[in-house]
Each structure stands twice: as C-alpha cells, then as structure tokens.
C-alpha cells in the first residue's frame, strides 16, 4: 500500500527511487561480507555494514514497488539471508577451495564471556598444527572441541583467511547456500519490480 510507514521512512531519508539505492544496498552487503572474510577481519564493522546494506536494499525495494510493506519484508529477509550465507558458507567454501586440510591437536580450550553481546557462551580453541603451527579458533558452545582431541582443521597457507574446524563446513552445502541466497535476492528484485510495474500501469 502506498503511504505505508516504510514508504514514509524512505521518503524522509530522501530516497526518491530504488533504481540506485537497492543495488547500493546489495553492494554494501557484499562489502560487509568481504570485510568479515578478508583482512582486517573486522567483525563489528562488517556486521554494521552488512545490516546497513540490508536496510538500504529493503528501502530501495519499497520505492521500486511503490510503498507496500511486503517489499520491505521480502527484501530484508533475502538480503539478510545473503549476508549470512556469504560470511558463513562463503568462509567454508573459500577455505575448501583455497586452503588446505590438516590434523591438529587441541592444546587448550578457554571459555569466553559473551554475555554483554550474546545470550550464549563462546570458546577460544588453541591448536598445534604440523604445517600451520599454533592457531586459535573461536566457536560458540555448539562447536566446542575437547582438549587433547585431534581434529581436522581448514587453514589458509597465505594467512588471508581465518582457520576453522572442517566439521563445521560441508563443501556441497557451502557451495549451494550462497548460490541459493543470491538467487533469492535476484528473484526478490525481479518480483518486486514486476509488481511495482503492474501497480503503476
């Protein structure tokens, strides 16, 4: 519906058309994922950029569609799915393609207090690896490993990508998830533009 709160917000922010704003939002989503995956690996700034991109994409789609609330919701969902897919599955896929696998020993596991930011506990694992040397991998409580265990670790010999436990990544799932997320974002744009053109005619 034209004149919805989402449309009003877009207008107040000076968004006159979604033609440039929506693509800018998607670019910000990809930029946020790149900042997360590659040095300097700034998670806080990456998430802020990604969420900002999702919001921008959503407001741009609202303008494309002429103001209905569903345009904001569909774009926000597809944009957020894309961002999460890129930083989670994308990391595993890059490690599988560009990195190498080796067996490492967990020499220490330290619990990290994350109550100030999250509602669950986290762990930092210190590992000794034959080729990569001493590594640290941060996980949440569902992915903790026991001290003394020998686990498969994905590492990047160039040091660009952060290492991770191989068990957390499936090559097929890591390949299909970003593709599915990108396809959903493209479908969202196509459907929204089509509905917007129908309403305008």
């Amino acid at each position: 519906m034209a004149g919805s709160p989402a449309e009003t917000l877009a207008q107040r922010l000076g968004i006159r058309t979604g033609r440039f704003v929506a693509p800018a939002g998607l670019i910000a989503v990809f930029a946020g994922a790149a900042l997360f995956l590659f040095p300097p690996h700034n998670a806080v700034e990456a998430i802020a950029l990604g969420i900002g991109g999702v919001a921008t994409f959503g407001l741009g789609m609202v303008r494309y569609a002429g103001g209905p609330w569903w345009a904001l919701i569909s774009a926000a969902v597809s944009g957020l799915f894309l961002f999460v897919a890129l930083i989670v599955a994308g990391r595993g896929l890059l490690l599988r393609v560009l990195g190498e696998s080796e067996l490492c020993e967990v020499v220490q596991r330290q619990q990290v207090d994350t109550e100030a930011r999250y509602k669950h506990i986290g762990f930092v694992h210190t590992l000794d690896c034959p080729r990569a040397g001493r590594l640290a991998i941060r996980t949440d409580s569902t992915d903790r490993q026991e001290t003394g265990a020998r686990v498969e670790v994905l590492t990047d010999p160039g040091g660009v990508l952060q290492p991770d436990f191989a068990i957390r990544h499936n090559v097929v799932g890591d390949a299909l998830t970003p593709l599915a997320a990108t396809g959903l974002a493209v479908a969202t744009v196509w459907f929204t533009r089509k509905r917007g053109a129908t309403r305008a005619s």
Side-chain angles (χ1 to χ4, degrees):
M1 172 186 302
S4 68
E7 173 77 355
T8 301
L9 176 60
Q11 290 175 342
R12 288 180 177 176
L13 292 174
I15 301 175
R16 297 182 179 181
T17 175
R19 181 172 299 177
F20 302 108
V21 174
L26 288 178
I27 291 172
V29 168
F30 279 96
L35 183 60
F36 185 90
L37 294 172
F38 301 104
H41 302 291
N42 193 315
V44 175
E45 292 182 7
I47 292 173
L49 184 58
I51 297 302
V54 170
T56 302
F57 177 52
L59 291 172
M61 286 292 94
V62 166
R63 295 298 283 167
Y64 254 134
W69 60 268
W70 58 260
L72 177 62
I73 294 176
S74 61
V77 170
S78 62
L80 187 59
F81 178 44
L82 176 62
F83 180 64
V84 173
L86 289 172
I87 65 174
V88 177
R91 178 186 180 190
L93 182 61
L94 287 172
L95 281 170
R96 290 286 186 184
V97 174
L98 304 176
E100 59 184 23
S101 171
E102 58 180 309
L103 286 177
C104 304
E105 181 182 356
V106 180
V107 296
Q108 184 180 14
R109 188 185 73 190
Q110 180 180 2
Q111 184 172 320
V112 180
D113 182 11
T114 59
E115 280 296 320
R117 293 174 295 169
Y118 311 109
K119 296 301 180 183
H120 56 76
I121 58 175
F123 293 91
V124 175
H125 300 78
T126 303
L127 303 102
D128 272 337
C129 302
R131 294 187 299 273
R134 183 64 62 96
L135 299 175
I137 297 179
R138 182 183 296 269
T139 70
D140 59 25
S141 60
T142 60
D143 293 314
R144 64 180 181 269
Q145 302 291 333
E146 297 296 330
T147 302
R150 292 185 61 79
V151 294
E152 183 184 4
V153 176
L154 300 174
T155 63
D156 175 19
V160 175
L161 303 171
Q162 292 181 317
D164 205 357
F165 293 118
I167 195 173
R168 301 175 68 183
H169 300 284
N170 175 278
V171 65
V172 175
D174 286 346
L176 292 180
T177 301
L179 287 176
T182 302
L184 179 60
V186 171
T188 299
V189 172
W190 178 84
F191 179 78
T192 303
R193 291 186 64 181
K194 183 177 180 181
R195 286 293 299 270
T198 301
R199 289 169 61 89
S201 61

